[in-house]
Amino acid sequence: MLPLRRRQRRLLLRWGLGVPGAAVLLACVAACALAERAPAGRASALSAYFGTKSRYEDVARPRPGPGLGPAGSCAPLQLVALVRHGTRYPTAKQVGRLRALHGLLLRAGPPGPGLAGALARWPLAYEDWMDGQLVDKGRRDMRQLAARLAARFPPLLGRAGLARVRLVSSSKPRCVDSAVAFARGLWAQLHPGRPEPEPADVEFGPPEINDKLMRFFDHCEKFLAEVEKNDSALHQVEAFKNGPEMQKIIKKVAAILQVPISDLNADLIQVAFFSCSFDLAIRDIQSPWCDVFDTEDAQVLEYLNDLKQYWKRGHGYAINSRSSCSLFQDIFHHLDEAVEQRQRSQPISSPVIFHFGHAETLLPLLSLMGYFKDKEPLTAYNYKEQMNRQFRSGHIVPYAANLIFVLYHCEHAETPAREYQVQLLLNEEPLPFVHSPGTVAVYQELKDHYKDVLQSCHSDQECVLPNINITSDEL
């Protein structure tokens, strides 16, 4: 009888996976076998600190069932949602860093006993070709979200309304695949027991690609010049990498790995931490990398990730959020159109619109709306003061994060102004408004609060580069 590894390889090659694919899957088999012997609990203790690499179920508490709309005789009229793609593979850049880290361990000598040896023997299960693609867990994220929303909003997401559901997506494959998985989940929820059709045959068709909306940051020259391609824009991040909190972790990890401190840097430490999160999110196993870090380390590494998101996508620079005003205005254009059609007793042309994008789509928009803004900016020097900060990216935009605008029509409202009301849901939980503590607002009052953004924020003006060379404005 063939040895186990040889039999596995032959089967995988027979399935047409080829040598690279077979090698990766065999590595995964070996990793899972090792994971069974790993001590339990550490990964779950760290999971609250994985930032944008967080699993949805670790930071969100979705509740199935009816929505929590306005009191009285109100019915949902329209739903406009922004959804981050589901769980994905590491990007090619992240895989390169994982490979460099693994190579560092192998160069240190033959694997011995203890944690350093376990890490050296732990197989690298990710390759360049995976490059941020959606994984099976990500498809389940989308299908489950679709099922919960269908149960929560049956008037809008019932069989009768399927033909008028619109799907809009970023051009990135992980977003398109998320939209397709969501569509399949929605169809399956409404047609239990029936075989699923191909995406093109579903009543509402394949997603529409619109990068100007879903990847607005790629189309904003000012953002690209002053933030994305400006090395000095993230100087707070670089300063924190070289600060005492990170240097303490680098020294600790160097001792665990039995390598010189000079061979490590903050980027390698961060990808080691993310290795724990990738294996947990993608394969639901605990990597020995999780045993390298404790909760105190995790909090520091979360802050490093949050610093980057804050200065590159959040409140750090005004252009980060102002670049999203076209998306914000597009959302309110749909809401306005629904109100006008209802006032004319016409059917709502687009009662349900789902947009599939990125963490980089949602964070600027939420910042534009005034959410998660701390009294003091996040800097390299106030880590301890920001321990209770609002801006925690993993709790805002984990994988499959969603921001949903629900427009209600209230038949017997106390006043005409209260006939149309809005509720916001962030990760399926009611989100209090910036201008009021409530979770339901009169639509016109919400528009009045955002009057400046709706009337005065124009992407073609906001994103134009100034004629003179000035540095970005820190807030």
Side-chain angles (χ1 to χ4, degrees), residues 117-414:
L119 291 168
R121 289 188 294 271
W122 188 254
L124 182 61
Y126 307 108
E127 294 198 355
D128 292 337
W129 63 265
M130 296 174 176
D131 195 21
Q133 294 181 41
L134 196 70
V135 300
D136 286 343
K137 169 62 164 62
R139 292 180 176 85
R140 290 197 300 274
D141 292 338
M142 294 294 104
R143 294 176 68 96
Q144 290 166 2
L145 176 63
R148 290 193 301 269
L149 292 178
R152 188 166 188 169
F153 298 103
L156 293 177
L157 292 171
R159 288 193 187 186
L162 271 188
R164 290 184 294 166
V165 172
R166 281 186 58 195
L167 304 178
V168 181
S169 176
S170 154
S171 62
K172 291 290 183 179
R174 58 182 171 270
C175 297
V176 176
D177 291 344
S178 290
V180 170
F182 183 93
R184 286 180 174 274
L186 188 57
W187 196 93
Q189 177 72 9
L190 300 175
H191 302 83
R194 291 177 57 183
E196 294 178 15
E198 291 301 314
D201 297 329
V202 177
E203 289 93 323
F204 39 91
E208 165 197 343
I209 305 301
N210 190 333
D211 277 345
K212 284 194 173 181
L213 275 185
M214 305 316 298
R215 295 183 61 84
F216 49 80
F217 40 88
D218 283 343
H219 300 268
C220 183
E221 291 186 9
K222 185 176 181 180
F223 168 78
L224 293 174
E226 295 189 355
V227 181
E228 178 71 32
K229 299 178 181 179
N230 180 5
D231 291 339
S232 66
L234 300 184
H235 64 90
Q236 296 288 350
V237 179
E238 295 305 314
F240 190 73
K241 287 179 180 179
N242 295 297
E245 295 89 356
M246 279 302 303
Q247 291 305 307
K248 178 181 176 182
I249 298 177
I250 291 174
K251 291 178 182 177
K252 170 187 169 178
V253 175
I256 292 173
L257 303 186
Q258 301 172 18
V259 300
I261 294 175
S262 58
D263 285 352
L264 293 176
N265 57 43
D267 290 336
L268 288 177
I269 297 297
Q270 190 172 44
V271 83
F273 183 59
F274 285 155
S275 184
C276 172
S277 74
F278 289 139
D279 284 341
L280 181 65
I282 296 170
R283 297 187 285 156
D284 197 26
I285 61 175
Q286 176 167 301
S287 158
W289 284 107
C290 302
D291 295 317
V292 173
F293 305 98
D294 58 26
T295 301
E296 183 179 338
D297 301 328
Q299 290 172 333
V300 172
L301 289 162
E302 179 197 27
Y303 190 72
L304 174 60
N305 186 44
D306 286 349
L307 264 181
K308 179 182 177 181
Q309 299 300 330
Y310 180 87
W311 289 101
K312 195 171 183 180
R313 305 295 176 183
H315 295 287
Y317 299 107
I319 190 59
N320 295 349
S321 58
R322 300 293 283 186
S323 63
S324 71
C325 62
S326 58
L327 175 59
F328 186 75
Q329 291 164 357
D330 185 75
I331 292 168
F332 275 81
H333 167 74
H334 291 303
L335 298 173
D336 280 343
E337 187 175 55
V339 169
E340 292 168 4
Q341 289 173 340
R342 181 64 180 80
Q343 288 173 335
R344 295 196 297 264
S345 300
Q346 296 175 344
I348 308 304
S349 55
S350 298
V352 179
I353 308 170
F354 284 99
H355 304 80
F356 295 85
H358 310 264
E360 297 89 341
T361 310
L362 280 162
L363 277 176
L365 185 73
L366 286 162
S367 298
L368 182 71
M369 296 175 68
Y371 284 105
F372 309 109
K373 186 173 185 178
D374 294 281
K375 291 182 179 179
E376 296 295 329
L378 277 63
T379 74
Y381 312 103
N382 63 358
Y383 163 69
K384 289 184 179 179
E385 291 80 2
Q386 295 285 13
M387 291 292 285
N388 296 314
R389 64 190 178 280
Q390 295 183 56
F391 191 89
R392 294 185 66 191
S393 59
H395 291 246
I396 305 168
V397 286
Y399 293 127
N402 48 87
L403 176 65
I404 304 174
F405 293 72
V406 188
L407 177 66
Y408 287 88
H409 177 249
C410 303
E411 190 74 38
H412 304 294
E414 299 172 1

Side-chain angles (χ1 to χ4, degrees), residues 406-426:
V406 188
L407 177 66
Y408 287 88
H409 177 249
C410 303
E411 190 74 38
H412 304 294
E414 299 172 1
T415 65
R418 301 185 67 83
E419 188 175 351
Y420 297 95
Q421 301 189 39
V422 179
Q423 184 180 51
L424 295 183
L425 303 175
L426 179 62

